[in-house]
Amino acid sequence: MAKKSSHVTWGGRFSAGPAELMLQFSESVSFDRRLAPFDIAGSKAHSAMLAHVGLITKAERDAIHAGLDAILEEIQQGKFEWDTKLEDVHMNIEQALTKRVPAAAKLHTARSRNDQVATDMRLFFKHACGVLQQKIRGAQRALLEVADTNAQMLIPGYTHLQRAQPVYLAHHLFAWMEMLERDHARFGEVATHANWCPLGAGAIAGTTLPIDREFTATVLGFVDAKGRPQVTQNSMDTVADRDLFIEFAAACATFGVHISRIAEDLILWSSAEFKFVDLPDAFCTGSSLMPQKKNPDSCELLRGKSARLQGNLHTLLTLAKGLPLTYNRDLQEDKPPVFDSFDQTAICADVLAGTLGGMRFNPARCAEAVADPLLLATDLADYLVLKGVPFRDAHHAVGAVVRLAEKTNVEINKLPTEEVAKINPAFGSDWVEVFDLGRALAKRAGTGMPGPAQVKKQFARWKKILGEE
Ligand code: ARG
């Protein structure tokens, strides 16, 4: 280890720099450099505030701003030289600024990397949530289009993966839509929680200097609906808190659970056993060995990525658990899982949109599956209820009818009325009308049910929601 005094920003009390191995181990610039635009926005706002309260001159502020703008430009053009010896994005940018602008030595006045990184990440979360909301909207629009194209199609709905009751395909697709809508709202909530400015919390205990936290918050857009600045209320919590990281990763993981379930439905539906849907070639792959294969890879990867999103959430929960207040270097490990969750969620939403967009449903196969009269066994029990039979007895009677159909190997709706009436006298000559699919669905007219009037309402609702933005 070199015995020269360290050149890093905190090197004053050190007689020697860190070991090469330690530099390699502790650097974060390889992954936190993507925070540069937020870091620079934070530094510009901070220096504007320092000038506002008279801690630096306006000329110094302007020089700092011009220097930071030039650095951002270089970064965006890929010309900036990142140095892992300078640890992180914050020190890289500050050192580069120091080389150009003497006033840079004043930029870190009344600021610590602890409140700085908290600010960068809050700006990142606000940005990321907006991006993901847009991408979720994209998947929802693709979904609405599939529903629209196949608006009249019926399929069996399943419980326990056994045929349960008939529904419009659109009703099933709109169930996915609801899941995605909650994800959209959830990212909106995370962005709202992110909307509090940490700057001014310093390392842990603020500063003795006369700063104006509200000014900085306003410049950075940490404001409420009325434009009033929102600043965090406890300096220690501000630098220790990682709730947002967990919330963001949880929103991504929940989205992951949703897309995984959607993907699983599609994998099943595209199998030869179901054959309800043909997935787009552009999102499938073949087998290197079996020439006939068309594998639903995009769906399988959507299902697989959800494991990764859950893993990231778990990493963050474990990272924060048991840490003494306030900042600990462990917390540097909070960024890779967050960035990974963001990147994977973004691409998953796009791939979902692409996969949905290219799907072709098979009307014949869906019609065949939904024609199974047993799907209306519950409706038959409801028929008896309307004739005054208590539901438990009705359920039992229909069970006996189903058993009879199975035993005699006759479709339930083809059983002779006399036989059926022997099971329960409330079965009248009109009992087979229950098996008219159109009539059966029309009766499911209450809010949230799969009847045609309701599905139509939901089409109107989604068209309004998705057309608005
Ligand atoms: N790279 C650091 C991180 O991400 C920045 C904060 C460093 N603070 C400190 N006290 N060493 O956590």
Side-chain angles (χ1 to χ4, degrees):
M1 192 165 74
K3 270 278 174 198
K4 63 178 172 0
S5 138
S6 170
H7 63 286
V8 288
T9 44
W10 42 257
R13 57 113 51 228
F14 284 77
S15 55
E20 196 55 48
L21 182 62
M22 177 57 185
L23 288 173
Q24 221 186 77
F25 182 59
S26 63
E27 69 83 23
S28 59
V29 67
S30 55
F31 53 84
D32 67 15
R33 66 172 72 169
R34 63 191 288 168
L35 292 174
F38 308 111
D39 197 69
I40 286 174
S43 290
K44 285 179 76 173
H46 182 68
S47 51
M49 182 278 292
L50 293 176
H52 175 72
V53 300
L55 284 167
I56 63 172
T57 67
K58 294 198 164 46
E60 286 169 330
R61 173 200 64 196
D62 293 345
I64 289 172
H65 282 202
L68 287 170
D69 286 341
I71 289 171
L72 182 60
E73 179 96 12
E74 266 181 38
I75 292 171
Q76 281 165 346
Q77 288 172 356
K79 291 186 191 144
F80 188 83
E81 275 190 36
W82 296 101
D83 183 358
T84 49
K85 285 196 194 63
L86 295 173
E87 278 185 34
D88 56 25
V89 61
H90 323 293
M91 305 235 266
N92 266 267
I93 292 173
E94 197 187 318
Q95 290 278 316
L97 189 66
T98 307
K99 282 195 196 128
R100 297 160 203 237
V101 181
K106 294 189 176 177
L107 173 61
H108 214 53
T109 308
R111 185 175 76 170
S112 155
R113 270 186 300 158
N114 295 351
D115 58 348
Q116 189 178 357
V117 73
T119 305
D120 289 8
M121 287 306 289
R122 281 176 179 263
L123 290 170
F124 167 82
F125 285 127
K126 286 173 71 173
H127 163 79
C129 288
V131 169
L132 295 180
Q133 282 190 310
Q134 283 309 311
K135 290 192 178 287
I136 290 171
R137 281 284 180 256
Q140 288 181 301
R141 287 200 185 92
L143 191 53
L144 180 60
E145 208 165 307
V146 188
D148 217 8
T149 312
N150 303 284
Q152 295 313 315
M153 211 170 285
L154 296 171
I155 55 164
Y158 294 78
T159 64
H160 310 267
L161 199 50
Q162 307 292 320
R163 283 180 186 165
Q165 295 186 308
V167 292
Y168 278 94
L169 169 67
H171 191 63
H172 192 127
L173 301 183
F174 286 163
W176 299 350
M177 195 75 107
E178 296 284 350
M179 289 145 66
L180 295 175
E181 187 63 16
R182 288 196 297 278
D183 291 324
H184 183 271
R186 202 169 283 115
F187 282 113
E189 280 156 26
V190 176
T192 302
H193 292 174
N195 198 22
W196 292 82
C197 189
L199 276 176
I204 166 170
T207 176
T208 58
L209 297 166
I211 62 168
D212 183 341
R213 293 192 65 199
E214 283 71 20
F215 181 96
T216 320
T218 306
V219 174
L220 286 173
F222 289 109
V223 293
D224 68 10
K226 292 194 174 133
R228 290 174 302 207
Q230 304 198 122
V231 301
T232 55
Q233 297 291 305
N234 180 294
S235 63
M236 292 178 75
D237 177 54
T238 300
V239 295
D241 168 37
R242 289 299 181 273
D243 288 5
L244 270 171
F245 293 62
I246 292 166
E247 283 182 48
F248 179 80
C252 293
T254 309
F255 169 80
V257 170
H258 292 159
I259 57 169
S260 178
R261 296 185 73 173
I262 293 171
E264 177 58 17
D265 276 350
L266 289 175
I267 291 165
L268 286 169
W269 286 357
S270 66
S271 69
E273 280 67 23
F274 278 79
K275 249 190 170 176
F276 287 180
V277 75
D278 192 21
L279 298 174
D281 284 2
F283 288 90
C284 294
T285 64
S287 157
S288 54
L289 185 96
M290 300 166 282
Q292 87 284 11
K293 287 297 286 289
K294 176 170 150 185
N295 297 325
D297 290 36
S298 68
C299 293
E300 291 169 302
L301 278 166
L302 287 170
R303 204 173 51 185
K305 300 273 190 189
S306 82
R308 185 163 162 184
L309 295 173
Q310 288 180 28
N312 288 337
L313 170 60
H314 208 93
T315 299
L316 290 162
L317 287 165
T318 310
L319 182 69
K321 166 195 177 301
L323 276 190
L325 256 54
T326 59
Y327 179 86
N328 298 271
R329 191 67 182 273
D330 316 42
L331 291 175
Q332 182 167 289
E333 287 293 312
D334 60 8
K335 282 168 245 16
V338 161
F339 294 151
D340 188 58
S341 282
F342 174 56
D343 294 340
Q344 293 305 319
T345 298
I347 196 166
C348 282
D350 286 348
V351 167
L352 178 64
T355 305
L356 294 172
M359 297 192 311
R360 295 283 165 270
F361 277 88
N362 181 333
R365 285 291 293 208
C366 293
E368 198 183 313
V370 83
D372 181 350
L374 285 176
L375 291 170
L376 293 168
T378 313
D379 296 49
L380 193 56
D382 290 347
Y383 162 91
L384 289 180
V385 166
L386 287 177
K387 303 256 170 180
V389 181
F391 180 75
R392 278 288 155 234
D393 299 341
H395 185 283
H396 198 79
V398 174
V401 176
V402 170
R403 204 168 52 239
L404 179 66
E406 267 173 11
K407 206 172 80 193
T408 53
N409 203 19
V410 175
E411 279 206 307
I412 185 168
N413 55 340
K414 303 280 159 49
L415 288 169
T417 305
E418 321 81 74
E419 292 301 315
V420 173
K422 273 188 212 156
I423 291 171
N424 191 310
F427 282 116
S429 56
D430 58 347
W431 79 284
V432 275
E433 284 170 24
V434 165
F435 296 97
D436 178 331
L437 206 48
R439 186 172 163 278
L441 274 152
K443 290 189 172 201
R444 298 191 177 265
T447 304
M449 297 182 194
Q454 276 302 322
V455 172
K456 204 172 147 197
K457 264 197 187 167
Q458 295 298 328
F459 264 111
R461 173 174 160 241
W462 288 118
K463 276 180 188 164
K464 185 154 178 278
I465 291 174
L466 300 176
E468 265 167 3
E469 287 158 37

